Amino acid sequence: MGVSGDSAVLYDNLQRTGGVDKQFLAAPVKSAVDKFQLLPEFLKVRGLVKQHLESFNYFIRTDIKKIVQANNHVASRFDPSVYIRYTDVWVGRPSEVVDGVTDSLSPQKCRLGDNTYAAPIFVNIEYCNGSDSRMMMKKEVVIGRMPIMLRSLSCVLHGKDEDELAKLGECPLDPGGYFVVKGNEKVILIQEQLSKNRIIIDSDKKGCIQASVMSSTAITKSKTIIRMEKEKIYLVLNAFTSKVPIMLVLKAMGMETDQEVVQMLGRDPQYATLLLPSIEECASIGVYTQQEALDFLEKKRKKSMSRFGKDDGALGVLRDIFIPNIPVRENNFYLKCVYVVVMMRRMMDAILNEDAMDDKDYVGNKRLELSGQLLALLFEDLFKSLNDMIKLTVDKSLSKASRTSRLDISQHILKDDIITKGLERSLSTGNWDVHRFRMHRRGITQIVTRLSFIGAFGSMTKISPQFEKSRKVSGPRALQPSQWGMLCPCDTPEGEACGLVKNLALMTHVTTDEEEGPIISLCYCLGVEDLYLLSGEELHSPDSFLVILNGLILGKHRTPQLFALGMRKLRRAGKVGDFVSIYVHEKQRCVYIASDGGRVCRPLVIADNGVSRIKHHHMKELKDGVRNFDSFLREGLLEYLDVNEENNALIALYEGEATYETTHIEIEPFTILGACAGLIPYPHHNQSPRNTYQCAMGKQAMGNIAHNQLCRMDTLIYLLVYPQRPLLTTRTIELIGYDKLGAGQNATVAVMSYSGYDIEDAIVMNKSSLDRGFGRCIVMKKMSAMYQKYDHVCDKIVSPRKSQHDSEILDNDGLASPGEIIRHLDIYLQKECPLDPKAKSHPSQIQYRTSKQTYKGAEGEPAVVDRVALCSDKNQNLIVKFMIRHTRRPEVGDKFSSRHGQKGVCGTIIQQEDFPFSERGICPDLIMNPHGFPSRMTVGKMIELLGSKAGVSCGKFHYGSAFGEPSGHAHKVEDISETLVKHGFCYNGKDFLYSGITGTPLQAYIFMGPIYYQKLKHMVLDKMHARGMGPRQLITRQPTEGRSRNGGLRVGEMERDCLIAYGTSNLIYERLMISSDPFEVQVCRECGLLGYINYKTKTRMCSTCKNGDNISAMKLPYACKLLFQELQSMNIVPRLQLADS
Amino acid sequence: MPKVPLWDLPELPQNHLPPHLQLQKTRVSCNNDAPTNTESIIYSGAYAAMGVDNSLRLGEFRKNFKVNVMKLNEEDMEFDLIGIDASIANAFRRILISELPTMAIEKVLVANSSSVVQDEVLAHRLGLIPIKVDPRLFEYMSENDVPNEKNTIVFKLHFKCERKSGERRTVYSHDLEWLPFGSEYVLRTENSSDSTSKPKTYTSFNSSQETLPEFSNNPISVTPGIIISKLGPGQEIELEAHAVKGVGKTHAKWSPVATAWYRMLSEVVLLQDIEDEDAQKLVNKCPVNVFDIEDMGKGVKRATVARPRDCTLCRECIREPGWEEKVALRRVKDHFIFTIESTGALPPEVLFTEAVKILEDKCERVITELS
């Protein structure tokens, strides 16, 4: 198909050039290479969940060593010869220590046993216990246990094939990338942040233009703002009490002459004009020398900022807190001065020209923080705490005058598992509290949604936003053009988080940190002039570009394009990391090189003068298995581009569209969508919000969860009895394995109106289809119970008495046995608890009481005990888990949806004989109202119907990948129609149907064919609720609230208003009083307060008047009586005045 | 139509409708946009204004009514039902689907099931297996009835996949074993002391079903080859399935047909002579080869309708503009091509006669209720 498209382009070109372009004619005929095969190869090494693994691996391999290296020396404050030095650190294999025996762990074991899947962190240490002892060494000391990401390098699942995974009880299609903490699967969400160490030009609330830098180094994090306020430029820094004139700061850093500043800013008089007021201000303050400036700053300095031990005054602040990402060598502030001036220049550019403002929502200005970085942060904090703790305890014992035993510093490491507990706590609560960096973030982790297979994918690719969701801003929510190919344009939730929570696209990769050193020296080799050797005047000379690496100005280069080309060639040759981006910014006259972590990038095919480097033979080699994705990278056929570098590239969507200027060609256009949106067939024919709705609903669809779904003990599992793979698939479906773990069924749908029970998107279902298993699902709920151990006694397992009617399903151990049918209020566990848990008497004398747990399910809906599992928690209590299985067939009110955001409930269920049937005897499974189409504009659904129909008639799965028609990954409607006609159907998919009720033909042709339908988790059985009499709240005596408490349905304010307006006073009285909380009170007519009845003497009394003369009885809502009493308790006297008593 | 004065209209012969009305009455015309004239005109006085009596006469009906069996084998049957109204044909179809009784497994007693298939699902699958037995030999079991040899068929399934084999095994429907003596599972009772009497089981068969003449040399079986479950090494299924009589209305498993339906005989009419190129075009258009080319001599080729019965109504021949004037696709309203796909319990021809009997019964009931 691609070939024909291409020849059309060729023909077009021929027409345009008039057919005389000899060079064009001589050129070999271009035929598009089908690059699809690259995708599965890519997904083997990168993409989707692999960034989590990559990031975690980087942390385990490199970052953890760096952190320990940076804090490797722990010495006592009193005696420096008492110290520990960490020489090496590594993470072992996942294991646990039970009763002193080390046992290897597997993730499934942890899930079932409520354990944490963690591996010990080993260190090698050198230590010395004082000046009189020699240095000693210890190897393989465990300092804590690190939760291990599934499928990472340290995981037991790494590199295992399908069989081995099955032996470990693991689903081979499960992507990994999450942790198992206390039996829960937790994923660390990708965190979106503004990029660190970069100058961002924007305006503040007042509209002042400012340049800000979020500096982040291994030691400090700080925010530096240079702001233009009333034409003067100030520095805003946390370490200073108020804003500081920028000229003053420059003077303090050694640039005493104003001329130097102006020179450095550039020759253009515009800049000098803008700077003039600031210079004047500085002069008016009377600061001329460095010392004067420092003295001035010293006064402005916050005095509490001496966290770093050494306090060097204002100079120290400028060195350590003011843009700390710029190094200061031996108090040489030149680099910082240059940086400040570059900031000012960028800011002035923005003042002179609005376009120079930075866009905060631009993806290139963002970094994605992944689990590795977040864990590193946490680990660093905990490791430092551990060291502090060691120091503290050693100091404490050293300070004691008389020590009984010899001090052994190495013993203190093991004392407390700060690291283990800290990591586990943060992962299970999702609270990241890193005091050192003043970081308090909530909701970093999330439980992996296991409602459906695709839901698990969804949580793994989810990006949580930097802003809080309540902000009513549209900018960050809007679709950014720079998201193309990096973030899925469809997959975002509806409602408050709309547009803020994003998802990764299929081929996105998130970078990890890369060593800067080699890149710097390479830059100098390629002709970057060192900044130290440049004068201020030369800096912005018109013939040169600044070269900036990760926000650090390296110097300048006279031929930036050549330099960029050189760097890129080196990268393609593999001399520089694959993910280093080189970006020439013409407007800012800068070359930005980035090697930092968290940038999003994606692979693209390199094209030379518009000719793709990937040829047919490459793809053939890939198919034959001689090549893999990495070899494409190694040979420079592909490269990763990040968002910034994409701006320097001209990317053609298809090979045929490439022109001479084209530098890159997309691999496959459907990769701009993510995993969830990839399920939708023909999404490019749908109205865009429909795709967004489907992305949300796909995660609620029931189906297969994983291959190990029947071995899992999740709290709630929804399964479909007969899941199918969609007849109309997409390439993404095959790539992620949705065809193996489907979540829906191919239903034959007739688009027609029927019976009137199909309005408002309701669907009419065929009873026989339901009888035969359509939409049948299994709901499994976990229930657990514990055999508690007390100090001296524990709960007892006892055999129940069989005579009891409600304990029929119990085994001899008092537990319900698997396979038994369990009904509402049946006992599923019976045990004996000691009456007095603290008793210390002889075991035979302890008295027990029977305790039982009953199943609370829907009445009249028998369920089955599916599995019973016994395990022990960390206190060695016996935990019993029951999986209760309930098989349900669809009923009226259950929610269904197609893959096009078209949800609807089942409106009615009709007998098959009443359903229409076609000339071939086909009877639809469900009927959908055609009114669902015009306003929704889901043309993709119609094409899906056609494609599926053609698919079933010719026996081949049809494809509907996004934008797939030109490249042959989606069948064209014309071709589908042709297939339909060949098999005797009408080209438009409309069939001649007979009414099942009258037997005569219907007066219209009916659009009928299979559509993949998902059953969503919302079922009436879980929601329906009604009550007559029932429980009441204790204090107000009003009916309880909520379905779970069997609560009443509230007649609220608005309902009450209606009743008032309607004038049904008795109904109001009945609803609000009689059916709620009527209460008879005794009111004293004299004082208006409440009295009481003395039931012994049968007299009524007023306790205020001390008599019972003027008491009347009346009815009040109990809540009202309560209010009176509460008011009285607050010294407010509510008095009742009775009108006629 | 040109305006013609009333007195100039031709004298209508008695009992003959003008052709266009006759067409409307007897044919559904399947146009490109929608089918028209789909409804059947039953009212006796529908054409009274034209002096035409539209009432149905039994004699007429008898004369015209025809049944031609086109295809018949053990499972499928296709026959033509000519000269009947759609409502009657539909009634047969509806009865076939939902009101003809069959036997189907209703109750499953699971003694042991360690396969991955859940018990409920297993029971559901068992229920859908067609049982090859004449339901007329059995009675319905009402709520208060005890299962006996007259209303229950018992099957046993005991299948084990040996741990040693190390391979998966498939349980098929033909592994179900008929128990003519009824259930083998002993009912748990409190006073199991009287060991002399026969232990009470879940069924109370008085005699073996094998002794019944119908089954003596024709044991009850189910449709073979249907996969029930797959067992891994060490897994086992042991259960008893009790089949009872029921109708498709209650549950589709009791429906004796996979499906039963009819279509009206298609009639393809060439309104014009289609010759030469157009004829070839027309022949090529039809995916089911309804048309043929007839050599008229002198090099003139004319399209003819050779196999109108094959028309699937894909409307490909009238899809292009202009062709609707040349070709007319119609359906004959009183000619039904009826298809019955039996599930195997009863042969399709018996099913149909049974359906007729049920309709008869219903009619009789109506008559008795009315009189």
Side-chain angles (χ1 to χ4, degrees), chain A residues 959-1111:
Chain A
Y959 284 87
S961 311
F963 317 107
E965 281 98 347
S967 51
H969 295 304
H971 283 83
K972 292 193 189 105
V973 176
E974 288 91 334
D975 302 333
I976 292 171
S977 287
E978 213 169 280
T979 319
L980 282 177
V981 167
K982 208 163 76 193
H983 291 90
F985 286 104
C986 186
Y987 77 98
N988 57 12
K990 291 186 181 177
D991 287 344
F992 184 68
L993 254 58
Y994 294 86
S995 161
I997 301 170
T998 65
T1000 53
L1002 295 177
Q1003 291 191 342
Y1005 298 115
I1006 301 298
F1007 193 51
M1008 185 168 97
I1011 297 179
Y1012 195 67
Y1013 257 78
Q1014 302 161 311
K1015 189 179 188 193
L1016 306 185
K1017 63 169 185 177
H1018 307 283
M1019 284 173 283
V1020 262
L1021 193 71
D1022 302 322
K1023 312 219 162 170
M1024 66 172 179
H1025 171 55
R1027 93 162 212 181
M1029 287 220 271
R1032 276 149 199 282
Q1033 275 164 9
L1034 205 66
I1035 43 166
T1036 59
R1037 298 196 187 171
Q1038 285 175 350
T1040 48
E1041 239 179 299
R1043 187 185 117 96
S1044 54
R1045 285 184 289 267
N1046 192 24
L1049 297 168
R1050 185 183 156 92
V1051 174
E1053 260 177 281
M1054 294 167 83
E1055 289 79 4
R1056 185 213 57 172
D1057 291 347
C1058 287
L1059 294 179
I1060 291 172
Y1062 194 62
T1064 51
S1065 51
N1066 271 315
L1067 182 59
I1068 301 175
Y1069 180 63
E1070 192 265 344
R1071 280 293 92 197
L1072 300 184
M1073 177 83 153
I1074 298 174
S1075 300
S1076 179
D1077 53 344
F1079 186 69
E1080 199 177 73
V1081 286
Q1082 313 300 325
V1083 184
C1084 178
R1085 289 192 298 273
E1086 192 71 35
C1087 62
L1089 296 176
L1090 302 182
Y1092 61 92
I1093 297 182
N1094 190 337
Y1095 277 98
K1096 265 185 200 150
T1097 55
K1098 298 232 168 75
T1099 49
R1100 303 191 289 184
M1101 282 288 288
C1102 171
S1103 40
T1104 324
C1105 307
K1106 299 280 186 282
N1107 61 35
D1109 302 341
N1110 299 311
I1111 302 273

Side-chain angles (χ1 to χ4, degrees), chain A residues 197 431 482 492 694 869:
Chain A
N197 300 343
N431 297 342
S482 52
T492 177
Q694 164 56 25

